[in-house]
């Protein structure tokens, strides 16, 4: 599923309670994989297990309808994986509806406008507001998404650079 990474089934030793996988570096214990890979393998594995439990008699259990809920879907994932994740999920699991939270502009950039729902807590009332943006961010750069109404950042620059740019602007506005 992931670009640039080889992870294939290795051995399962029930007595030793160990699972190995075959990677570009050879056969390794599954816990030796990166956190992002383990996270991805983990939730895809749980999804497949449930699909096969529910639709085991069907010839293609992975193509059956289900709902998948994931908090922070991009956790520990390389940015390149984040860019491709939605596309790969759609391709591998065409009938799975995914409801996921994310703080990644790279995940958001691969979504259609109808697939994005923004939740924001009102600082005064502490109530959560729900909005559905009516614009397409698929052609935006990550920094443009971060400074769009979806994320609401004033800038994607580091605080120190923001301060220096502000000072520069202040000095440039002076007559002398």
């Amino acid at each position: 599923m992931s670009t640039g990474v080889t992870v294939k089934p290795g051995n399962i030793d029930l007595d030793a309670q160990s699972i190995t996988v075959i990677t570009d570096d050879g056969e390794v214990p599954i816990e030796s994989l990166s956190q992002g890979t383990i996270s991805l393998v983990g939730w895809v594995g749980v999804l497949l297990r449930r699909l096969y439990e529910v639709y085991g008699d069907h010839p293609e259990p992975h193509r059956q309808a289900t709902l998948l809920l994931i908090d922070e879907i991009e956790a520990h994932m390389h940015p390149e994986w984040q860019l491709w994740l939605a596309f790969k999920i759609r391709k591998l699991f065409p009938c799975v509806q995914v409801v996921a939270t994310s703080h990644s502009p790279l995940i958001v950039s691969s979504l259609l406008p109808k697939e994005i729902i923004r939740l924001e807590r009102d600082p005064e009332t502490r109530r959560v507001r729900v909005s559905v943006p009516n614009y397409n961010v698929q052609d935006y750069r990550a920094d443009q998404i971060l400074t769009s109404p979806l994320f609401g950042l004033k800038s994607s620059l580091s605080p120190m650079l923001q301060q220096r740019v502000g000072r520069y602007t202040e000095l440039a506005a002076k007559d002398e």
Side-chain angles (χ1 to χ4, degrees):
M1 176 162 169
S2 32
T3 305
V5 175
T6 301
V7 178
K8 296 179 183 175
N11 292 312
I12 299 173
D13 185 338
L14 296 177
D15 294 330
Q17 294 185 344
S18 69
I19 299 174
T20 61
V21 291
I22 299 167
T23 70
D24 296 326
D25 298 318
E27 192 168 358
V28 298
I30 196 165
E31 60 269 10
S32 295
L33 297 175
S34 71
Q35 286 185 332
T37 304
I38 289 173
S39 173
L40 190 60
V41 167
W43 67 255
V44 169
V46 169
L47 173 60
L48 285 169
R49 184 182 77 211
R50 291 294 294 147
L51 285 168
Y52 276 80
E53 286 173 359
V54 174
Y55 301 108
D57 294 336
H58 195 279
E60 293 184 306
H62 68 285
R63 294 191 169 281
Q64 301 309 300
T66 194
L67 176 64
L68 175 65
L69 305 173
I70 304 176
D71 187 28
E72 299 291 344
I73 194 168
E74 79 282 358
H76 309 291
M77 279 190 197
H78 188 280
E80 184 178 4
W81 293 14
Q82 293 178 38
L83 285 170
W84 286 97
L85 186 62
F87 170 78
K88 296 281 188 173
I89 291 171
R90 282 186 201 104
K91 184 177 177 185
L92 293 171
F93 303 105
C95 296
V96 171
Q97 181 179 1
V98 179
V99 176
T101 64
S102 179
H103 290 100
S104 170
L106 300 175
I107 294 286
V108 172
S109 71
S110 64
L111 301 176
L112 300 170
K114 66 181 182 178
E115 296 175 322
I116 301 170
I117 297 173
R118 184 174 188 270
L119 304 177
E120 178 183 27
R121 186 173 303 279
D122 184 297
E124 292 178 21
T125 65
R126 305 301 302 153
R127 291 187 174 227
V128 175
R129 290 186 294 222
V130 178
S131 61
V132 179
N134 60 357
Y135 54 92
N136 189 341
V137 294
Q138 288 186 315
D139 295 331
Y140 285 29
R141 296 184 319 263
D143 64 308
Q144 291 173 312
I145 294 171
L146 288 170
T147 56
S148 77
L150 285 177
F151 287 85
L153 293 179
K154 291 180 183 175
S155 172
S156 62
L157 301 174
S158 73
M160 289 178 57
L161 184 54
Q162 283 181 49
Q163 193 174 39
R164 292 193 341 236
V165 168
R167 179 69 176 139
Y168 174 84
T169 303
E170 180 184 312
L171 292 173
K174 290 186 175 197
D175 289 337
E176 294 180 18

